[in-house]
Amino acid sequence: MKTTESIERETVSREGKPTYILAIETSCDETSVAVVADGTDILSNVVSSQIETHQRFGGVVPEVASRQHVETITFIIEEALEKAKLRPADLSAIAVTQGPGLVGSLLVGLVAAKALACALELPLIGVHHIAGHIYANQLVHKLEYPFVSLVVSGGHTELVYVESEGRFRIIGQTRDDAAGEAYDKVARALKLPYPGGPHIDRLAHEAEEGVTLPRAWLEPDSYDFSFSGLKSAVLAVLNQANMKGQPLDPQAVAKGFQDSVIDVLVEKSARAVQAFGAKQLLLAGGVAANKGLRQRLEARCAEIGVPLLAPPLSLCTDNAAMIAAAAFLKWRRGQFSALDLKAEPLLKLEGWSV
């Protein structure tokens, strides 16, 4: 087994040659493996989704998710290498999502990554899942520091200030439900399939008018978010309409809900960009695929004269290419993980900074 010193010497000797990082992402219900060259060039990015499996439960079942990761991980690794047209011996490092996420799912990816790193005598790099979402933008855009990133996904809604490469500071976050969770809960109330975000987005665009719903602005100087009250307001409106025998148009409810969520996300993001002197606003996470949110952010960023960067839809949801992009930050600094790396379901972003 190679020592850390010998690995670092080999890292230096590889200068001038491409750095091939194989990354594994199993934080929730997607099994993904990617090979990325030099932190930006995607050679392969294979994603196996479990959406159809979890749809009948109306949400992700952790035990089911981890079992499916076990069943598919080996095949996905082989497919990623085949599509990248590389051999295991060509790889420079193995990266893996360390957290946050479902502990059972994270463990599957960690065990696979450790086995590869040990067998191939390669550096292991543990990656923060949200850092991956943020640096998914690096795969398609040139980043300029400092910037602010709006992270919106099923389990996270955060405003992150990034002063320099890999240095994260959370300036705002949800105090209860994340935006994605609120979307799923409202979709369930409207009897829409899981995941609810795309269906609500579609209905909202079809509506001419939306139901009037509250906005949770919180304290005047706060960048935090709160969507639990909005979800409750939607349920109250639906219940009142049913009691009166006047069911509401689902399109109107979807538009009212989405407008309320987007208003708060957009205005707090714009205020943060101006207050922190950010050169760019980055959009990240699964809800970044929401058309309504993208359109409103683009318009608001144009008003304040700051570019909006967003990854393509294929890089918004969980994928391993984004994990490889974030891992490259650690690679360049020789910041590798030990083989006793543990899964951390509540891993802090600021603590992962390079």
Side-chain angles (χ1 to χ4, degrees):
M1 181 68 185
K2 295 179 183 177
T3 65
T4 301
E5 289 183 0
S6 67
I7 289 174
E8 289 177 351
R9 283 197 299 271
E10 288 192 9
T11 299
V12 174
S13 69
R14 285 177 180 267
E15 288 184 1
K17 298 180 180 179
T19 297
Y20 297 119
I21 296 180
L22 182 143
I24 298 173
E25 154 61 25
T26 60
S27 63
C28 191
D29 60 338
E30 275 97 10
T31 311
S32 181
V33 180
V35 179
V36 176
D38 296 329
T40 57
D41 186 11
I42 302 174
L43 304 184
S44 64
N45 189 24
V46 183
V47 181
S48 175
S49 176
Q50 301 179 14
I51 285 180
E52 290 186 5
T53 299
H54 297 283
Q55 274 182 334
R56 63 178 181 269
F57 304 110
V60 177
V61 181
E63 180 63 22
V64 174
S66 58
R67 286 182 181 181
Q68 285 208 221
H69 287 311
V70 172
E71 293 173 4
T72 59
I73 187 66
T74 302
F75 300 107
I76 302 300
I77 291 172
E78 291 175 350
E79 185 176 349
L81 282 169
E82 183 179 343
K83 287 189 173 182
K85 298 180 181 178
L86 293 176
R87 300 167 301 155
D90 297 322
L91 299 174
S92 307
I94 306 297
V96 62
T97 303
Q98 181 186 2
L102 303 175
V103 66
S105 295
L106 290 169
L107 283 170
V108 177
L110 274 170
V111 169
K114 289 179 182 180
L116 278 173
C118 186
L120 299 173
E121 298 187 320
L122 292 175
L124 176 68
I125 304 173
V127 176
H128 194 287
H129 182 74
I130 298 304
H133 273 304
I134 292 172
Y135 276 89
N137 282 282
Q138 184 172 267
L139 296 167
V140 289
H141 301 292
K142 179 176 175 57
L143 306 186
E144 294 183 16
Y145 300 90
F147 63 74
V148 168
S149 180
L150 172 63
V151 180
V152 275
S153 68
H156 298 268
T157 302
E158 298 161 344
L159 276 171
V160 183
Y161 175 61
V162 186
E163 184 176 10
S164 58
E165 184 179 79
R167 303 292 296 180
F168 306 101
R169 175 185 165 194
I170 296 175
I171 57 176
Q173 58 191 326
T174 182
R175 297 181 182 179
D176 38 62
D177 286 351
E181 291 175 312
Y183 267 90
D184 286 337
K185 290 175 180 178
V186 170
R188 194 176 302 129
L190 293 174
K191 296 181 172 53
L192 298 172
Y194 171 85
H199 299 286
I200 288 182
D201 189 27
R202 174 180 53 81
L203 288 178
H205 278 81
E206 294 173 356
E208 293 183 2
E209 293 185 2
V211 173
T212 301
L213 292 168
R215 273 76 169 151
W217 295 109
L218 304 177
E219 301 83 9
D221 60 344
S222 175
Y223 296 110
D224 283 351
F225 304 98
S226 175
F227 298 110
S228 180
L230 173 60
K231 170 205 66 183
S232 298
V234 171
L235 295 178
V237 167
L238 290 172
N239 288 336
Q240 289 173 8
N242 287 333
M243 289 173 63
K244 294 177 181 178
Q246 301 172 340
L248 290 171
D249 180 2
Q251 294 176 336
V253 176
K255 179 172 175 53
F257 167 76
Q258 177 151 296
D259 284 348
S260 181
V261 171
I262 290 176
D263 280 353
V264 175
L265 291 176
V266 169
E267 288 310 310
K268 293 208 172 193
S269 298
R271 184 156 54 85
V273 165
Q274 294 174 308
F276 285 85
K279 295 181 180 178
Q280 298 170 329
L281 174 63
L282 272 61
L283 185 56
V287 184
N290 185 287
K291 293 179 181 177
L293 177 59
R294 284 188 177 228
Q295 290 170 357
R296 287 283 303 281
L297 276 175
E298 286 175 356
R300 191 71 178 92
C301 283
E303 289 176 1
I304 62 176
V306 174
L308 172 68
L309 305 186
L313 301 186
S314 60
L315 295 176
C316 289
T317 52
D318 293 349
N319 67 91
M322 70 182 196
I323 301 303
F328 191 68
L329 308 182
K330 296 277 189 179
W331 163 267
R332 288 200 298 201
R333 293 165 174 78
Q335 297 176 350
F336 305 136
S337 305
L339 286 176
D340 62 355
L341 183 70
K342 294 180 175 59
E344 296 193 35
L346 301 176
L347 184 65
K348 301 299 182 184
L349 178 60
E350 292 164 326
W352 187 84
S353 294
V354 299

